Each structure stands twice: as structure tokens, then as C-alpha cells.
């Protein structure tokens, strides 16, 4: 069964997101833990959470993906930026335990002229401070396009972060199709090769979710501009090969394509479900 959803607004709470997911044909969803521009998260509403759990059980939603604010930087040079990142992620992980056993994705960070090695060190140090042995949430490092000084632009950088984290059983990877294509991995022409490289360097078992986006830019552009499925340089066929690949097809997929409203996501989900069900 295909597990697919998209990014939804969290402003009306968990139950509202789950209902919206079902309305648009999704059986999972992604949301920001708080306003991406920063600021406090809404207080946890335990009534909303119990209604959410009941609704999910009834509608077959078995995993959700929380996305950290993309403005956080665990590789920053400024200690105040690092402290803000640490406090926010620790609070997010505490809140995630109200919906146990799910996924929390973050952008590893930007090393801002300190060099990738220093960035990797700062990110893993941060993870070593915030991960807890008793947590049930898996923290996902998102593969990045390599825009500016982004860390996580290669499978080697992802592996280097994981290697330095003591509680690395709490870590996984979220592969973003737009980002890996922009980073120069040939998911269009050689998906098998990219996945065997990922397996060799990171380990395929670390892969826990995928972001399914087309890219406005050609491979290796290091840009990170998402496009609707079929309207970018990756194309529908390559995206369909991703969701149907035997090493990936059991994982949850999340659309982060630029849409005017959620009905745009509904159309993409329907198209991808249809392609998934069809014989190759
Ligand atoms: Fe992201
Ligand atoms: Fe993404
Ligand atoms: Zn992106």
C-alpha cells in the first residue's frame, strides 16, 4: 500500500490535519512544528491529540512527519543561533512524544564559511545534546541541494554526522528528490545506482521517508526550487520510478510541491496512486 501525503498547515491542530489529509486522498502528512520564522509553538491540546489518535486508527494513518522550522541552523557560528536551534529542537522533541513513534525531519544546517567539517561537528554535537535514550521519535536528517554552505549535500556528509552521534539509533534520513537531483545524484537516469551508493555510504535502513518534489532546475544546479510533479526537470516518470522502487515503495512519501491550495495536492496524490497501482 502506498503511503503518501503532503505538507499541511498545522494552524488548526492535529485532528484538522488528519481530516484534511483524508479529504485529499492522503494517508500521512507533514507539518511544521511551529511557524517556520520561529517563535513559540502552540500549547499541546491533549483533547485534540486523543481525537487525532482515534481518527488515525480509524483511517489508517500510521505515521506522520513533523518538520522543524527551516530557519534553524545547528551548524551556525553564532552561539545565540545555536542556542535557539537547540532550545527549539529540544522543545519540538518533547512535544513529539505526545504522538509517539513518529518522524521529525530537520535541515542539518549551513556552515556559513566555517567549512563542512566544522558544520558536521556542530550538528552532531547538537544532536548529542538533545537526543534522549527514552525518546520514541526518529530524527531525520534531510538530504540537501547544496545551496550556499548547506551541510548534507552528499551521502558522505550525512554519514559523517550519524557517525559522531552516540544515540544514532534515533537517527534516520529523509531523501528529498528535488534536493538530491540538485545535489548532482542522477535519480532520473540511474536510480538504482543512487540507491546502491546511498546503501554503501549511509545504509538503506536509515532511509525512513522521502520528499517527492520535481525540480525547477537541472541536475546538479544546487538551487533547491521545487516544482509540481511533471513540471520540472525530474519529470513524472522518474518520480513514479521512485515511489515504485522495491527499496522505497514501503516508505512514506511527502509532496512539497508549490500548490495554490490542497486540491492541487489532491490531484498529484491521485495521479501518483494511479501510477503506483499500474503494472510497470
Ligand atoms: Fe525540508
Ligand atoms: Fe524537502
Ligand atoms: Zn527544498
Amino acid at each position: 500500500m502506498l503511503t503518501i501525503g503532503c505538507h499541511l498547515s498545522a494552524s488548526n491542530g492535529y485532528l484538522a490535519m488528519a481530516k484534511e489529509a483524508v479529504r485529499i486522498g492522503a494517508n500521512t502528512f507533514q507539518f511544521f512544528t511551529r511557524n517556520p520564522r520561529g517563535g513559540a509553538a502552540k500549547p499541546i491540546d491533549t483533547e485534540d491529540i486523543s481525537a487525532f489518535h482515534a481518527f488515525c486508527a480509524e483511517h489508517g494513518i500510521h505515521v506522520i512527519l513533523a518538520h522543524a522550522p527551516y530557519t534553524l541552523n545547528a551548524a551556525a557560528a553564532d552561539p545565540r543561533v545555536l542556542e535557539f536551534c537547540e532550545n527549539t529542537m529540544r522543545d519540538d522533541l518533547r512535544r513529539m512524544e505526545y504522538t509517539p513513534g513518529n518522524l521529525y525531519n530537520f535541515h542539518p544546517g549551513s556552515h556559513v564559511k566555517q567549512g563542512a567539517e566544522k558544520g558536521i561537528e556542530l550538528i552532531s554535537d547538537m544532536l548529542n545534546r538533545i537526543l534522549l535514550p527514552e525518546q520514541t521519535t526518529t530524527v531525520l536528517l534531510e538530504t540537501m541541494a547544496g545551496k550556499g554552505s548547506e551541510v548534507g549535500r552528499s551521502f558522505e556528509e550525512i554519514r559523517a554526522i550519524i557517525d559522531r552521534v552516540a544515540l544514532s539509533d534515533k537517527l534516520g534520513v529523509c531523501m528529498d528528490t528535488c534536493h538530491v537531483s540538485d545535489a548532482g545524484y542522477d535519480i532520473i537516469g540511474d536510480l538504482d545506482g543512487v540507491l546502491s551508493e546511498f546503501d554503501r555510504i549511509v545504509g538503506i535502513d536509515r532511509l525512513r521517508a522521502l520528499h517527492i518534489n520535481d525540480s525547477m532546475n537541472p541536475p546538479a544546479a544546487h538551487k533547491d526550487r521545487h516544482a509540481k510533479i511533471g513540471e520540472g526537470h525530474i519529470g513524472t516518470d522518474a518520480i513514479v520510478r521512485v515511489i515504485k522502487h522495491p527499496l522505497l515503495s514501503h516508505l512514506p512519501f511527502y509532496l512539497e510541491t508549490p500548490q495554490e491550495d490542497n486540491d492541487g495536492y489532491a490531484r498529484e496524490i491521485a495521479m501518483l496512486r494511479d501510477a503506483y497501482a499500474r503494472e510497470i
Side-chain angles (χ1 to χ4, degrees):
M1 227 258 299
L2 178 62
T3 304
I4 190 166
C6 62
H7 190 90
L8 294 177
S9 161
S11 50
N12 295 315
Y14 284 90
L15 179 61
M17 286 191 280
K19 284 185 169 170
E20 179 64 0
V22 168
R23 185 187 75 80
I24 62 175
N27 53 348
T28 186
F29 59 88
Q30 172 180 273
F31 62 102
F32 284 128
T33 53
R34 62 190 72 216
N35 185 322
R37 292 275 145 213
K42 285 199 306 184
I44 289 280
D45 174 349
T46 51
E47 253 172 64
D48 177 46
I49 293 210
S50 9
F52 165 75
H53 280 133
F55 185 88
C56 287
E58 195 182 324
H59 290 88
I61 295 175
H62 58 87
V63 64
I64 57 171
L65 175 57
H67 196 306
Y70 49 77
T71 43
L72 299 182
N73 187 6
D78 182 340
R80 284 163 307 179
V81 175
L82 287 179
E83 195 192 344
F84 178 71
C85 176
E86 180 172 339
N87 292 340
T88 302
M89 287 180 70
R90 185 178 285 117
D91 187 50
D92 279 352
L93 289 175
R94 184 187 60 78
R95 297 161 56 86
M96 288 289 293
E97 291 301 313
Y98 286 89
T99 53
N102 284 301
L103 307 169
Y104 178 69
N105 175 68
F106 79 111
H107 296 178
S110 292
H111 63 69
V112 283
K113 293 186 187 146
Q114 302 177 96
E117 220 162 296
K118 180 69 180 170
I120 287 162
E121 197 182 302
L122 287 165
I123 295 158
S124 44
D125 288 352
M126 171 89 55
L127 289 167
N128 280 325
R129 291 196 297 275
I130 63 173
L131 297 179
L132 299 170
E134 64 269 25
Q135 77 179 53
T136 64
T137 303
T138 302
V139 175
L140 305 184
L141 298 149
E142 182 165 355
T143 60
M144 300 311 290
K147 181 171 45 121
S149 67
E150 276 173 351
V151 182
R153 64 176 68 204
S154 69
F155 300 158
E156 284 83 359
E157 289 187 2
I158 298 276
R159 170 64 194 263
I161 296 167
I162 294 171
D163 272 348
R164 296 177 55 100
V165 174
L167 295 174
S168 66
D169 60 313
K170 308 296 180 192
L171 294 180
V173 176
C174 175
M175 187 184 281
D176 185 309
T177 55
C178 168
H179 298 178
V180 286
S181 176
D182 278 27
Y185 292 100
D186 185 13
I187 55 161
I188 305 164
D190 185 21
L191 180 60
D192 281 333
V194 174
L195 294 178
S196 65
E197 189 173 346
F198 184 90
D199 187 37
R200 184 168 49 79
I201 295 163
V202 182
I204 200 76
D205 292 348
R206 290 279 180 192
L207 195 52
R208 300 292 303 277
L210 283 97
H211 285 162
I212 297 299
N213 304 304
D214 213 322
S215 175
M216 283 174 40
N217 295 101
H222 303 291
K223 285 279 201 324
D224 190 4
R225 301 275 312 276
H226 301 187
K228 290 180 186 174
I229 306 301
E231 295 187 10
H233 286 259
I234 299 175
T236 306
D237 289 353
I239 294 288
V240 169
R241 285 196 292 274
V242 168
I243 64 169
K244 292 181 84 151
H245 195 284
L247 289 173
L248 309 177
S249 60
H250 63 288
L251 294 170
F253 299 103
Y254 299 89
L255 292 156
E256 303 175 308
T257 51
Q259 302 290 347
E260 294 69 41
D261 53 42
N262 291 343
D263 292 339
Y265 283 128
R267 285 190 289 275
E268 284 188 338
I269 291 168
M271 184 271 285
L272 292 170
R273 283 199 185 284
D274 189 60
Y276 187 86
R278 230 178 293 138
E279 293 298 313
I280 296 173

